[in-house]
Amino acid sequence: DAGTLPAFIGASVPSPGASGLRVTLSFAQTLNGALATTEGTPMAISGHESLRMTHWLRATHDAILVGVGTVVADDPSLTTRLVPGPSPLPVILDTELRIPDDCRLLRDLACRRPLIIGKHTRASATDSPGGPILLRTAAHLAPLLDGSVPAAWAERTRKLLDAGASVALVPDTRSWPAVWAAVRMALPDASSVMVEDRKSTRRTPVT
């Protein structure tokens, strides 16, 4: 019953972890436990009802995290379009800032502009050892342009910022503490993150 779903979710969610964030992993599987075909290609598992539940879950989280591979493969909107409620902030793990310029998250007015978490360049790591650097506008990028960062990297970052995205730079995008620190810097009041990544869900399509 869709009317009782939010209460059901609220009674089932875990408590925040050491990062102060409640993290929920969302995935779909068949009755026999399969998450993908033997070739690893995407397969439709979820029906409309389970997709609505996924959107309810999104509406109860402050941010939704996926990898750039999910964006490249599925071009998701990451909204709550099937249910009432706010859409979470999309957070994209993207070490080399290769998110497509024409993806929905950067061009569709119905989508929130994402926080893109990339890896420190040598200069930025010196400026902020061990911690994230948050760039929201091209003006924030200027202090990093001291000649020690590649021109192509600088231009790519500027293009993402001009498209409305925010970029957080961390020492290692594989480090969950660094990722959560970047999320908390971008959303200081955030208390929950939903992980709906193609790699984490074994190639189940994300929309």
Side-chain angles (χ1 to χ4, degrees), residues 28-111:
Q29 68 178 32
T30 62
L31 289 175
N32 64 352
L35 299 174
T37 64
T38 54
E39 295 81 14
T41 55
M43 65 182 193
I45 296 175
S46 301
H48 181 71
E49 292 80 5
S50 60
L51 188 57
R52 279 178 56 84
M53 187 185 75
T54 297
H55 283 219
W56 275 118
L57 277 170
R58 290 179 182 177
T60 64
H61 288 74
D62 298 307
I64 180 168
L65 184 147
V66 301
V68 68
T70 297
V71 179
V72 171
D74 298 337
D75 193 16
S77 61
L78 303 179
T79 64
T80 57
R81 61 192 180 278
L82 298 181
V83 300
S87 294
L89 173 70
V91 178
I92 315 302
L93 291 183
D94 187 2
T95 300
E96 298 177 355
L97 305 183
R98 61 186 183 92
I99 183 172
D101 293 329
D102 60 350
C103 70
R104 288 190 179 97
L105 293 173
L106 294 178
R107 62 176 173 79
D108 192 334
L109 295 179
C111 299

Side-chain angles (χ1 to χ4, degrees), residues 62-63 89 91 112 115 136 182-191:
D62 298 307
L89 173 70
V91 178
R112 290 185 66 175
L115 168 67
R136 295 191 186 274
V183 172
R184 294 303 294 268
M185 180 175 285
L187 284 178
D189 296 328
S191 61

Side-chain angles (χ1 to χ4, degrees), residues 124-137:
S124 63
T126 301
D127 292 339
S128 182
I133 296 175
L134 181 62
L135 309 174
R136 295 191 186 274
T137 68

Side-chain angles (χ1 to χ4, degrees), residues 89-92 97 112-121 123-125 127-144 153 157-158 160-161 164-171 178-190:
L89 173 70
V91 178
I92 315 302
L97 305 183
R112 290 185 66 175
R113 293 299 175 258
L115 168 67
I116 302 169
I117 300 181
K119 188 175 181 179
H120 276 316
T121 63
S124 63
D127 292 339
S128 182
I133 296 175
L134 181 62
L135 309 174
R136 295 191 186 274
T137 68
H140 294 154
L141 177 63
L144 303 182
W153 178 89
T157 304
R158 187 188 305 278
L160 292 173
L161 296 172
S166 298
V167 177
L169 303 174
V170 299
V179 170
W180 300 146
V183 172
R184 294 303 294 268
M185 180 175 285
L187 284 178
D189 296 328

